[in-house]
Amino acid sequence: MIDKEVGSAADAVSDIFDGASVMIGGFGTAGMPDQLIDALIDRGVGDLTIINNNAGNGESGVAALIKAGRVSKIICSFPRQSDSHHFDAAYRAGRIALELVPQGNLAARIQAAGAGLGAIFTPTGYGTLLAEGKETREIDGVHHVLEYPIKADFALIKAHKGDRWGNLVYRKTARNFGPIMAMAGTTTIAQVGEIVPLGAIDPEAVVTPGIFVQRLVQIASPADPALAARTE
């Protein structure tokens, strides 16, 4: 019997190791697997390379991971905003390295990893500092830059519902990077609001098939008292 459910967030991240590369889903706080990140902080591992859309908001999620000193490098498209003070302080102090990737390129490079592609050509970034030292090519009269796939040892994502096989559906904009990160992570760990019986999710509605998910843990939303009561 295939059952990918684990009992806690701590169990879900128990094999993430020092120096691992970790994709973390979310667009800002939408779709951010906060409880998995908290469990990763509690685990105490460091020297992590984090792949995320931005460099953390406020005091939680990726920002908390950076504040704890666990991140040696971040690959993201939007590192600075009004409340990204923990990244800003760490970067200015030389405690964290940054690889800046345009948002479309970030998504395309993650997709390339999930699809098993060797590399992609993209016009985004051509003629800028981001293209320095990279191979370029003119295709159909447009200059392109060669970019390599972004993959990771682990992907931490958040979904709305899942079943024990790991099939996932998302809630509105919380979907964002989750589906492509699930495909690009060697081990994908999903935090879901509810684990439902097999067959409860219409196969036509499945966004991430279970083949791309290795573990899932049910963590009820504080905004859903009924579900929270069932999972206490």
Side-chain angles (χ1 to χ4, degrees):
M1 182 179 71
I2 299 174
D3 189 350
K4 299 177 181 179
E5 182 177 4
V6 296
S8 69
D11 291 337
V13 302
S14 61
D15 59 346
I16 297 181
F17 50 87
D18 287 331
S21 54
V22 184
M23 289 183 175
I24 298 179
F27 190 95
T29 57
M32 180 75 69
D34 289 289
Q35 285 82 0
L36 289 179
I37 297 171
D38 289 343
L40 183 58
I41 294 171
D42 291 341
R43 177 161 167 70
V45 293
D47 192 26
L48 300 173
T49 295
I50 298 298
I51 301 102
N52 184 242
N53 181 61
N54 66 336
N57 303 80
E59 300 294 330
S60 62
V62 172
L65 200 59
I66 294 172
K67 179 181 179 181
R70 308 298 170 76
V71 184
S72 60
K73 179 180 180 180
I74 189 163
I75 301 172
C76 69
S77 67
F78 193 65
R80 295 198 66 195
Q81 52 199 28
S82 60
D83 58 353
S84 59
H85 43 270
H86 289 303
F87 166 78
D88 193 61
Y91 184 74
R92 290 178 183 276
R95 298 192 303 269
I96 188 170
L98 168 67
E99 181 179 338
L100 184 64
V101 183
Q103 190 172 87
N105 285 2
L106 181 68
R109 291 174 64 187
I110 294 170
Q111 287 176 312
L117 301 181
I120 58 171
F121 278 101
T122 170
T124 304
Y126 179 82
T128 72
L129 292 174
L130 296 177
E132 282 191 355
K134 297 179 180 179
E135 180 181 340
T136 61
R137 184 174 299 184
E138 186 175 331
I139 302 173
D140 290 334
V142 179
H143 293 287
H144 289 67
V145 182
L146 181 70
E147 298 283 2
Y148 289 93
I150 299 174
K151 55 187 177 180
D153 299 310
F154 297 90
L156 308 183
I157 63 173
K158 182 179 181 180
H160 182 47
K161 294 181 181 180
D163 61 31
R164 63 176 173 84
W165 284 359
N167 298 308
L168 305 177
V169 293
Y170 302 83
R171 180 171 173 78
K172 300 180 179 180
T173 58
R175 173 172 170 171
N176 53 73
F177 283 87
I180 59 174
M181 286 185 171
M183 297 175 66
T186 300
T187 298
T188 293
I189 304 166
Q191 169 186 324
V192 298
E194 185 177 8
I195 296 177
V196 299
L198 290 178
I201 301 175
D202 182 348
E204 295 295 331
V206 170
V207 177
T208 296
I211 192 172
F212 297 116
V213 177
Q214 282 65 53
R215 292 176 213 138
L216 72 163
V217 58
Q218 178 172 296
I219 299 174
S221 169
D224 189 348
L227 181 57
R230 295 208 303 270
T231 58
E232 286 178 348

